[in-house]
């Protein structure tokens, strides 16, 4: 630990640049996938019928538990099935996946297809489950 402190003191410019780049990368990566919405915020929008949930998990995971009223379009077939969502262009689209890691790619694809009001569920369905919110099983 003494050596680390000594390195930071002796090379403060190098350490400052490293910290600046690290902060920049974290900031850009967090903004890259679009806006996030919490599970509680999603519940409020769904209850007001102002949002639709698109679940991008595969069919097996979708069958194990899904958000009420969600539409299952797996990520690998999203581009070919985007026409199914055209009737929801006036609503907010909430993209949900297992843990919130792949939803950024889906948001990017939907934005490229002309959907402007798309957000991703922060933490995915696992965060939804951790918040003790209901899941429907088939």
């Amino acid at each position: 630990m003494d050596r680390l402190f000594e390195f930071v003191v002796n090379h403060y410019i190098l350490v400052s640049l490293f910290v600046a780049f690290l902060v920049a990368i974290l900031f850009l990566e967090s903004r890259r996938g679009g806006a996030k919405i919490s599970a509680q915020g999603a519940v409020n929008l769904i209850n007001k019928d102002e949002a639709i949930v698109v679940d991008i998990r595969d069919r097996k995971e979708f069958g194990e538990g899904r958000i009420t009223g969600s539409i299952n379009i797996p990520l690998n077939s999203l581009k070919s099935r985007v026409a199914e969502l055209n009737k929801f262009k006036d609503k907010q689209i909430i993209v949900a996946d297992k843990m919130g890691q792949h939803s950024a790619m889906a948001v990017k694809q939907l934005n490229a297809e002309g959907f402007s009001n798309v957000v991703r569920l922060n933490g995915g369905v696992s965060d939804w489950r951790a918040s003790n919110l209901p899941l429907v099983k088939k």
Side-chain angles (χ1 to χ4, degrees):
M1 212 50 184
D2 293 334
R3 287 184 151 181
L4 178 65
F5 183 70
E6 181 181 344
F7 179 83
V8 170
V9 170
N10 290 335
H11 304 285
Y12 64 92
I13 294 174
L14 185 63
V15 173
S16 299
L17 287 173
F18 174 74
V19 170
F21 283 131
L22 186 64
V23 168
I25 288 172
L26 291 174
F27 177 73
L28 290 175
E29 284 297 315
S30 69
R31 303 251 350 229
R32 189 176 107 196
K36 296 179 186 176
I37 190 167
S38 67
Q40 193 58 47
V43 167
N44 291 340
L45 288 176
I46 294 167
N47 286 343
K48 292 179 186 176
D49 200 32
E50 295 175 1
I52 187 75
V53 177
V54 176
D55 195 324
I56 60 169
R57 298 177 296 159
D58 62 16
R59 186 177 301 257
K60 180 183 174 217
E61 290 176 337
F62 184 75
E64 291 172 359
R66 61 182 173 89
I67 298 171
T68 304
S70 62
I71 300 170
N72 181 235
I73 303 178
L75 181 61
N76 56 5
S77 63
L78 182 62
K79 198 164 202 134
S80 62
R81 293 179 58 189
V82 75
E84 296 175 28
L85 299 175
N86 283 336
K87 59 186 171 187
F88 302 113
K89 277 200 173 192
D90 59 328
K91 290 187 178 186
Q92 176 129 26
I93 296 177
I94 302 170
V95 178
D97 65 349
K98 187 174 184 176
M99 298 183 71
Q101 297 171 335
H102 303 291
S103 57
M105 292 173 20
V107 169
K108 201 180 254 189
Q109 285 182 10
L110 289 172
N111 284 335
E113 294 290 334
F115 292 89
S116 59
N117 202 3
V118 183
V119 294
R120 55 189 173 134
L121 182 62
N122 192 23
V125 176
S126 63
D127 187 52
W128 182 278
R129 185 178 287 125
S131 298
N132 291 324
L133 294 169
L135 291 174
V136 178
K137 294 186 179 181
K138 284 188 174 182

